Amino acid sequence: MKILVLQGSARKKGHTATLTQAFVEGAKEAGHEVTVMNVANMDIHGCTGCEYCHTEGGGQCIQDDDMQQIYPLYDSADMIVIASPIYYGSFSGQMHCAIHRTYAIGKPASCKKMAMILDSGSSGVYAASERIYHGFLQGWYGVEDCGIFEYAGSSASSSQNLDELRQFGKSL
């Protein structure tokens, strides 16, 4: 299975990156092809709502930035995993830009499954991201919900949590 992970934290050794890596290790061990795109460190602009993609663009965004690297991966992935820290009650700004820009291609052609990995400095702050995931991403795409993994506080990347994500990756 081809798995695309959109990782939305700019902190290369932070909890989100560490949690994502544990999932990737498990998925690769199970024989899956995994690509991680660190959207927080890419040049991805927000959607301008210009509708070029749905008029003369034919599914191509008019903006020429790093999102062009993600589009073919997004469209060909069998599974998409969103991994993001929670800032001010939702995904990181960089993750929002990447998600919004998928508007250009619509539903990914090959995606059958989705999952989400979230972490925050405190618990109880995941509702907005859960709504986006269930209503738009997983719901509109009509794919299997493989789960939302939420971790909070300084123990977010504890060995127990990392093990849980490794096992999840292996179970796919």
Side-chain angles (χ1 to χ4, degrees):
M1 176 168 44
K2 289 171 69 173
I3 301 171
L4 172 63
V5 180
L6 298 181
Q7 200 279 100
S9 176
R11 296 178 57 215
K12 294 178 182 178
K13 295 187 185 225
H15 292 298
T16 305
T18 304
L19 293 163
T20 298
Q21 186 56 39
F23 165 76
V24 169
E25 289 167 7
K28 284 185 175 181
E29 188 175 321
H32 301 296
E33 177 186 330
V34 184
T35 302
V36 178
M37 297 302 285
N38 192 347
V39 301
N41 294 313
M42 298 175 78
D43 180 28
I44 299 174
H45 303 228
C47 176
T48 64
C50 70
E51 288 297 327
Y52 175 84
C53 58
H54 295 127
T55 56
E56 60 261 40
Q60 294 286 324
C61 182
I62 197 167
Q63 298 185 70
D64 187 17
D65 60 12
D66 289 344
M67 197 64 192
Q68 303 308 321
Q69 298 170 40
I70 294 175
Y71 286 136
L73 298 169
Y74 199 81
D75 210 31
S76 67
D78 300 306
M79 179 178 191
I80 297 170
V81 177
I82 304 292
S84 182
I86 299 298
Y87 298 147
Y88 300 99
S90 191
F91 300 122
S92 66
Q94 299 93 329
M95 181 62 75
H96 274 288
C97 285
I99 289 171
H100 291 176
R101 290 284 298 286
T102 65
Y103 176 69
I105 63 170
K107 296 179 185 180
S110 300
C111 188
K112 306 284 184 286
K113 300 177 179 199
M114 288 193 83
M116 194 162 63
I117 301 168
L118 303 173
D119 74 276
S120 176
S122 57
S123 58
V125 296
Y126 305 104
S129 297
E130 290 169 355
R131 278 192 301 276
I132 292 168
Y133 174 76
H134 286 297
F136 173 69
L137 295 172
Q138 190 265 333
W140 181 49
Y141 292 172
V143 299
E144 179 185 344
D145 177 5
C146 291
I148 299 174
F149 298 84
E150 298 171 346
Y151 305 99
S154 59
S155 64
S157 54
S158 69
S159 59
Q160 179 182 350
N161 294 342
L162 296 176
D163 227 28
E164 178 182 40
L165 286 170
R166 266 188 218 95
Q167 292 306 315
F168 170 59
K170 285 181 190 179
S171 74
L172 296 171

